[in-house]
Amino acid sequence: MPLDAVCLLAAVREINDTAAGGRIDKIYQPERDEIVLSIRLMRGGVRLMISAGANAPRLHFIDAQRENPAAPPMFCMLLRKHLQGAKICSITSPDLERMVTIECDTTDEMGVQSKKYLACELMGKYSNIILYGADGRIIDAVRRIDGDISGKRQVLPGLFYHQPPPQDKINLLEVSSAGVAAAVYAAQDQTPADKWLLGHFKGISPLICRELAARACGETGKPMCELSRPERENLVRELAHLVEMIQTGDFRPYLLTHTEDGSVFDFTFLPILQYGNLVQNKEAPSFSQLFAEFFEKKSNAERIRRRAQDMIRTVTNARDRLRRKLATQRQELRKTQDRDKYKRKGDLITANLYQIERGARKVKVIDYYDPECPELEIELDIRLSPQGNAQKYFKLYNKAKTAEEKLTEQIAQGEDDLEYLESVLESIAEAENLTDLAQIREELVTTGYLSAKQDKGKRRHAKPVSGKPFHYRTSDGFDVFAGKNNTQNDLLTLKTAFKSDMWFHTQKIHGSHVILVCDGREPTDLAMTEAAEIAAYHSQARSSAMVPVDYSQVRNIKKPNGAKPGMVIYHVYKTAYVTPSEEKIAKLRAE
């Protein structure tokens, strides 16, 4: 869902309680439309992330350090000039507006105390982050808006900052309860109740509008003209309760998940009852953690996918070409299975040379290969002698026989290449940061799917390739490592792991090599089970149940000469069937 003004207000109150009085220690801009403020507090430090992305504008604390570009963008350097070392006075949000203002005390170039303001407008595609001074003049913005983009409101350095024009809707905090009731009782149109609420009151999301309508009327889409007086009274009461909640700050951060598979569905500030038992309300410790859990994983996956588009396109095109080539080769291989007919015709022509005239177009012979000995008519080439026609059929036979051998080899090689490309796509999906992508890119250059010339431009500002595998710790204290890509898989299995460690991999399913570190101990059944679940989770079958996972000691795993990265063979193994759980795997993750 889009971040509504009520959730934003609740988050801002939490953030202000924590960050007010702190000093901005460092400023980063990991993405074009994202700013991270590292704030130093008396009791430690926090990182405040502000995103002006059109798909998910938001503001909340984050735990993980973001990867930053080697050269900071211009807006980031400008923020460092004006805000680094500044004291945060307050973080506020206007009532029921998707805006946040961070007020800072700082000093200018001459050492004079001054005020600076960071305006965070979190309004979908119109989102922006704007820095302006005490005189109200804009210093700069993440997105500059000139007259060609908007004729109503320009955002350019030197202009005075003005807030976006307010929506033509009722502010629940500025209207009396009698005024709200009058609006509800006067509504007599065909508009569904949830759409009417959305169109008349600002700051509340479609989800909350549906919830209020469902609580008042028993359904969300009932037209306003059909609402009975008791239903209208219920709706007025629900709106009054919402206003009281906002005024008192009695919010609760709820993450909505599907009951069936536990996937994240939505988030809000009050329990959602309209979906019955199909959706669960999971209360989060804070709104910042709620936003982080809802947005961060999805936005990180989107960011990685965006950065990896060229690799995905290259690998996908190579995979599709290979699939078409394999289909053609398999069709040609099927044709070679019928090659014995050429040898039979050559033998029959040779056996009847005495009765074949030169220049004949066809000949009828007795087919002594068939127990019935029927008469068989064979086509002849008039340009060849009878012996030449026999040799022609023998050549067709030998050609088909050779083709079968070559095609069999090529198909086997093609299937290995196809499996490798599928594993690379899975590795890209597993990538957590740009370092992981750089390692995959290097692997593709090594295997020839990306040219070094293509790679040079993409890696100009990339960090050195030194990605680390996933690290887990089982409930009883065993370390478990899972490779993020084929290069890490090879390093884990063939270089890092001891021969006595346990190796896990999904059976005939693309996934990570997983190593259970034994350290000379006998692995417990619990550790073996959890390692198998980790292997199932880091595979294409992560959403499946009863996933087959092969396991064996590392000493039994071999890599054939010339095999592509990540490809190994093993013959001594056992198979476990496990069902991976994302929540359980997350708890096992070691920092």
Side-chain angles (χ1 to χ4, degrees), residues 427 430-432 436 439 467-473 479-493 496 502-505 511-517 530-539 542 585 589:
S427 297
E430 287 276 281
E432 288 190 316
D436 295 339
Q439 200 166 29
K468 296 181 180 179
F470 294 107
H471 182 199
Y472 297 91
R473 187 165 288 112
D479 286 317
V480 179
F481 295 92
K484 294 179 181 176
N485 51 60
N486 290 312
T487 301
Q488 291 185 12
N489 287 338
D490 277 352
L491 286 172
L492 270 177
T493 303
T496 307
M502 297 302 298
W503 179 90
F504 295 79
H505 193 281
S512 299
H513 291 203
V514 173
I515 300 296
L516 172 63
V517 180
E530 290 180 347
E533 290 172 349
I534 291 169
Y537 179 76
H538 289 294
S539 75
R542 68 168 56 189
I585 299 300
R589 185 76 181 265

Side-chain angles (χ1 to χ4, degrees), residues 437-473:
L437 289 182
Q439 200 166 29
I440 297 171
R441 189 182 296 278
E442 186 178 82
E443 177 187 328
L444 289 173
V445 171
T446 302
T447 52
Y449 288 100
L450 276 179
S451 68
K453 185 176 180 180
Q454 282 178 294
D455 187 53
K456 182 179 179 181
K458 297 295 181 182
R459 294 185 58 198
R460 185 168 47 205
H461 302 304
K463 291 185 177 181
V465 180
S466 57
K468 296 181 180 179
F470 294 107
H471 182 199
Y472 297 91
R473 187 165 288 112

Side-chain angles (χ1 to χ4, degrees), residues 352-365:
N352 292 275
L353 287 175
Y354 66 93
Q355 66 174 6
I356 301 174
E357 297 181 2
R358 188 181 183 89
R361 293 182 177 276
K362 59 183 67 176
V363 63
K364 291 184 178 181
V365 297

Side-chain angles (χ1 to χ4, degrees), residues 413-431:
Q413 181 61 47
E415 288 174 343
D416 288 344
D417 292 346
L418 183 61
E419 186 174 351
Y420 170 72
L421 293 174
E422 292 284 4
S423 71
V424 171
L425 290 175
E426 179 66 20
S427 297
I428 295 174
E430 287 276 281

